[in-house]
């Protein structure tokens, strides 16, 4: 048992010296439209779109283990009839995952803090994000490829006009991304 612990400790201490630094921005865009044709109703045609920029920073160890963190910037626009509103927000948290030498990767990020909205602000955002992707090399340091992301974030407070209330809002979505990987 002591020999096994010694070998594991030796591997854990020697692996970071051969790690690759990774900077990986990803961009995702989604939009939706609802056409309402209900007579004598308050229902209106609505359109919404959102753009997400995920910035990952971490290390890929020789055995493929990815350790790092992520910062996400979210901007969205929503229109109902002739009334449009913009909002922005952020999420951030640590990431753990696997990167294979063929370019396939999967990452789990747990967002530990986040906000959404401008005039009505949702705060205390927490929740998981799972990324699946495959990048193809452009050069020895740069790769590009598609990514599919599932994110589920729960906000616990809402702030509006200086008042803060407890809430339980959960936002879950699946979006395609384009991802760049810079490995040094």
């Amino acid at each position: 048992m002591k020999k096994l612990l010694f070998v594991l400790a030796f591997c854990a201490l020697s692996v970071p010296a051969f790690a690759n630094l990774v900077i990986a921005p990803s961009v995702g865009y989604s939009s939706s439209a609802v056409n309402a044709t209900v007579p004598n109703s308050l229902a209106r045609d609505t359109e919404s779109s959102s753009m997400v920029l995920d910035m990952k920073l971490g290390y890929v160890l020789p055995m493929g283990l990815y350790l790092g963190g992520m910062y996400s910037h979210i901007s969205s626009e929503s229109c109902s009839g002739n009334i449009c509103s913009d909002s922005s927000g952020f999420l951030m948290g640590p990431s753990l995952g696997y990167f294979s030498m063929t370019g396939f990767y999967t990452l789990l990020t747990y967002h530990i803090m986040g906000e959404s909205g401008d005039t009505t602000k949702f705060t205390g955002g927490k929740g998981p994000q799972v990324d699946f992707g495959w990048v193809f090399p452009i050069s020895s340091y740069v790769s590009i490829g598609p990514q599919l992301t599932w994110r589920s974030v729960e906000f616990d407070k809402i702030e509006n006009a200086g008042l803060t209330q407890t809430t339980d809002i959960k936002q879950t979505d699946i979006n395609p991304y384009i991802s760049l990987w810079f490995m040094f």
Side-chain angles (χ1 to χ4, degrees):
M1 184 68 175
K2 288 183 180 182
K3 289 182 182 181
L4 179 63
L5 290 175
F6 176 74
V7 169
L8 288 175
F10 179 75
C11 290
L13 293 175
S14 64
V15 168
F18 302 108
N20 287 324
L21 174 66
V22 174
I23 299 172
S26 303
V27 177
Y29 178 79
S30 66
S31 66
S32 67
V34 176
N35 295 324
T37 57
V38 180
N40 299 328
S41 172
L42 295 176
R44 295 185 173 158
D45 292 347
T46 60
E47 294 181 16
S48 64
S49 63
S50 106
M51 180 171 285
V52 180
L53 173 65
D54 289 349
M55 181 60 78
K56 301 174 200 70
L57 177 64
Y59 285 100
V60 175
L61 303 175
M63 75 284 285
L65 180 66
Y66 174 89
L67 300 170
M70 180 190 302
Y71 177 84
S72 296
H73 175 75
I74 304 165
S75 60
S76 59
E77 179 182 33
S78 180
C79 295
S80 178
N82 294 330
I83 301 170
C84 294
S85 64
D86 294 331
S87 67
S88 62
F90 76 92
L91 296 165
M92 61 188 313
S95 300
L96 177 69
Y98 175 75
F99 181 85
S100 77
M101 289 302 131
T102 61
F104 172 77
Y105 63 92
T106 182
L107 303 175
L108 170 65
T109 301
Y110 189 81
H111 297 291
I112 56 174
M113 65 183 309
E115 293 181 356
S116 179
D118 292 329
T119 55
T120 301
K121 187 180 287 190
F122 299 97
T123 60
K126 294 180 176 78
Q129 174 175 328
V130 179
D131 301 323
F132 297 100
W134 202 302
V135 290
F136 304 97
I138 295 175
S139 71
S140 59
Y141 298 110
V142 180
S143 299
I144 189 170
Q147 173 181 306
L148 187 63
T149 297
W150 172 84
R151 178 186 295 131
S152 181
V153 178
E154 195 165 341
F155 297 95
D156 59 6
K157 297 207 184 302
I158 184 170
E159 298 175 7
N160 191 2
L163 299 173
T164 301
Q165 295 177 334
T166 303
T167 186
D168 189 19
I169 294 177
K170 188 174 189 177
Q171 180 180 359
T172 302
D173 50 5
I174 297 175
N175 289 316
Y177 282 71
I178 296 293
S179 184
L180 284 170
W181 280 59
F182 299 95
M183 297 179 75
F184 306 100

